[in-house]
Amino acid sequence: MKQNKRVGVIIEVDGNLSKVGMYNETNDSDYIWYGDILTGPKVGAYLTINQNDVKIIATVFSEKIIDLQNDVSNDEFDNTFSKNSIKRIISLKVKGVIENNNFHVTSKYVPMIGNVVTLTTKDELNLIYGIYKNELTVNIGKSILEEYDINIPVNRFFASHIGIFGNTGSGKSNTLHKLYKELFQTKYAENMKKRSQFFVIDFNGEYTQENQFALSDEFKKVFTINTGKCGGQKLPILKDYILDADILSILFDAKPGTQVPFLRNAMRTYNEKVRNSASTFGQMEIGLLKRIIVSHKSVNANSLYDWVEVAEKMNVNTFLLDKLKKLHFYNDYGNLKIEDGYIDGEQLSQYGIKELKINEIEDDVISIIEDSSEFEKLKYFLAFQRIYVSAWKSTNLEYINPLFKRIENSLNSLEKVIDLVDNISDSYAFMNIISLADANQETTRLIPMLFSKMIYDDHKEYVTSCKTVKKTKHLIIDEAHNILNGQIRRNSDDWQDYRLGIFEEIIKEGRKFGFFITIASQRPSDISPTIMSQIHNYIIHRLVNDNDLNMLINTMPTLDKFSFQMIPSLGQGEAVITGNAIKVPILVKVNKEKVIRPKSDDIVLTSLWEDIDDFSTWL
Ligand SMILES: Nc1ncnc2c1ncn2[C@@H]1O[C@H](COP(=O)(O)OP(=O)(O)OP(=O)(O)O)[C@@H](O)[C@H]1O
Ligand SMILES: [Mg+2]
């Protein structure tokens, strides 16, 4: 029977550290053993401690030599630290146990003096790296020490929230891309496209190339959000979702005292009455105009002027508005100057209606509204609503006016990048890349929040109504520190607070609904601790900043000290993987894709300068 390679014997056990007295000639870095190349007993490597039927798995923690006692009494013959007087000792830290062909983490067994230590075999490594037979996995690279293929179990890894961290240039984007590219090539690829959807929020436009994630255009949509002159693709967003007082309050940064209630009332009327009917819009605003004129003695004298101004903004025919404008002269009492005969009791007279061209104005308003975009319609409606709440002095305009500047700005910039739709089920593909590289700062702040909340709410509603999770959604955010910054919360900015709240809710509750987040970031310490602590699986590339490292140690229960100490000295593409999906942290070198990879390669200055054959580059 094939015997395992024996390398030493336990000579001391102290707490969770054990010492092994090594046999002679066990100091090689690798061994060939029955055709397999096994890693020698160096720091970080696995060794197996044999105790009856149980195999205790440990990693090498430190290595040293001790001197055997010098048995010669005379100083002249001191032979300490000479060829035959030293012994190699290594310390081991127990990681878990292989029992009944299964690796698990337990403290049930401890090494005992006299236990024989052997090199860990490939079969044992298989069990340690947590791969069960028949389990679907994706390969992402090789372990650094053993050069052993590292396969990640699909179920336990991708049905979880994933964090990818590392300094700039350490390989995060490549790893992220590699993970999902491999996932899309498993044998379930066909059905996956019917049941799952993926969304990448791409701040730098790294994933917009053809064939990215090895997906053809049939299964992929790229939305290049462009706020500049060139224009890009607009992002489909649900109408119901935007036309909501809470969302608008956040978008317009409405203050709780007067502005939020104003928006709430306005949106109730808008959604119930005027959203789907241009004629109701027309009747309502013309009704307002009539009331202003009829109650000219008690109305806020500016109201008429304001009404006409909004109508002018809407491009209502100026010729029609002419007479109305002339009413805006005050009489001796500071009231509007209304000609006799315009008013009949509590109403405008037929004569007044005719003279002031009220019906024609109404028709014009209706036809303009019919041709307006939803954003324009909303803008006009809110402007009229402002007149409505202030005409009889029930609301002080001072409190509302500042809101209107923001409404104007927000709606104008949103209109450039958002397409309001009634239904998003056909708007998005299997994989969707939302590139914000060409978007201005405000849009970059806004879109990820709006979009994430929308797909989360939509998915949650779907799952709750079906009562089972039949579909999953996966939200992938590269450069996540841009939007998940926990520091800003301390500056008590409502808006940021709300945004973080959304992502915190997703990360706390999403799993139940089959909604999973993957975030990649250079600065884990900047990310809100609530979010960090809910991540299930981590891939950590090189990180050197102390704050970031401390954040990791505080939020990652599965990270061991050895792996932690390796983080600052990892090379490009090398990473520690740890978390629920795997039993022990793994040091891995992620395979770099040769052709299809994110647009994020290091710039090689010398080759940039070397071959300039294209003169146009000078222009
Ligand atoms: N697994 C890998 N093996 C070898 N080189 C890699 C690997 N992954 C990435 N690289 C190289 O490292 C460089 C940076 O990679 P990448 O863009 O993935 O880093 P990043 O961590 O996302 O950086 P940033 O924080 O700036 O976005 C690229 O030149 C890439 O080719
Ligand atoms: Mg990157």
Side-chain angles (χ1 to χ4, degrees), residues 436-468:
L436 294 164
D438 303 323
N440 61 17
Q441 205 182 3
E442 187 181 350
T443 312
T444 310
R445 286 181 344 147
L446 250 168
I447 292 288
M449 171 196 88
L450 265 183
F451 178 75
S452 306
K453 181 156 170 59
M454 177 187 72
I455 51 169
Y456 176 67
D457 285 349
D458 188 55
H459 185 73
K460 187 168 151 181
E461 196 183 297
Y462 166 81
V463 172
T464 333
S465 64
C466 290
K467 300 206 170 58
T468 58

Side-chain angles (χ1 to χ4, degrees), residues 383-598:
F384 281 126
Q385 202 65 13
R386 170 173 162 268
I387 301 169
Y388 171 72
V389 297
S390 62
W392 293 275
K393 289 213 167 142
S394 62
T395 306
N396 197 337
L397 271 186
E398 268 171 49
Y399 297 121
I400 294 203
N401 281 341
L403 178 68
F404 274 82
K405 192 80 214 141
R406 297 196 296 269
I407 289 180
E408 181 91 18
N409 288 341
S410 292
L411 292 185
N412 286 348
S413 59
L414 275 184
E415 181 149 33
K416 277 194 201 156
V417 296
I418 279 182
D419 204 6
L420 286 182
V421 294
D422 289 317
N423 192 327
I424 48 164
S425 53
D426 297 329
S427 307
Y428 292 98
F430 168 63
M431 165 55 97
N432 304 277
I433 318 278
I434 296 145
S435 163
L436 294 164
D438 303 323
N440 61 17
Q441 205 182 3
E442 187 181 350
T443 312
T444 310
R445 286 181 344 147
L446 250 168
I447 292 288
M449 171 196 88
L450 265 183
F451 178 75
S452 306
K453 181 156 170 59
M454 177 187 72
I455 51 169
Y456 176 67
D457 285 349
D458 188 55
H459 185 73
K460 187 168 151 181
E461 196 183 297
Y462 166 81
V463 172
T464 333
S465 64
C466 290
K467 300 206 170 58
T468 58
V469 182
K470 286 221 173 95
K471 293 189 172 171
T472 62
K473 289 213 164 63
H474 305 254
L475 177 64
I476 301 161
I477 310 175
D478 196 359
E479 313 277 342
H481 46 270
N482 280 320
I483 49 169
L484 303 182
N485 198 328
Q487 312 274 338
I488 298 172
R489 167 172 284 180
R490 280 176 230 143
N491 303 341
S492 73
D493 180 340
D494 289 347
W495 202 85
Q496 295 284 1
D497 223 23
Y498 180 82
R499 181 165 60 176
L500 267 186
I502 289 172
F503 286 101
E504 289 178 356
E505 182 189 342
I506 296 180
I507 209 152
K508 278 194 264 187
E509 315 246 300
R511 197 187 52 84
K512 294 198 280 280
F513 303 111
F515 194 103
F516 304 105
I517 290 200
T518 299
I519 56 177
S521 170
Q522 311 170 352
R523 298 300 306 264
S525 59
D526 277 356
I527 291 187
S528 133
T530 319
I531 290 177
M532 281 297 288
S533 61
Q534 303 289 331
I535 291 174
H536 305 108
N537 288 297
Y538 301 83
I539 300 185
I540 321 285
H541 287 277
R542 177 183 148 93
L543 268 178
V544 290
N545 181 297
D546 276 345
N547 287 340
D548 294 328
L549 290 169
N550 287 337
M551 181 68 161
L552 294 185
I553 209 100
N554 290 333
T555 49
M556 293 170 46
T558 48
L559 186 66
D560 66 342
K561 202 160 180 185
F562 172 75
S563 313
F564 177 71
Q565 282 166 348
M566 292 293 288
I567 293 172
S569 51
L570 291 169
Q572 223 166 33
E574 292 178 350
V576 177
I577 307 185
T578 176
N580 292 354
I582 46 174
K583 292 167 179 170
V584 286
I586 303 175
L587 283 174
V588 63
K589 165 86 169 82
V590 177
N591 285 342
K592 183 172 164 180
E593 284 295 321
K594 293 206 172 50
V595 188
I596 310 166
R597 56 169 188 264

Side-chain angles (χ1 to χ4, degrees), residues 9 72 81-82 110 236 248 258 270 351 372 437 452 464 468 507 510 540:
V9 65
V72 182
F81 291 101
S82 65
V110 286
L248 290 180
T258 334
Y270 186 81
Y351 170 69
S372 296
S452 306
T464 333
T468 58
I507 209 152
I540 321 285

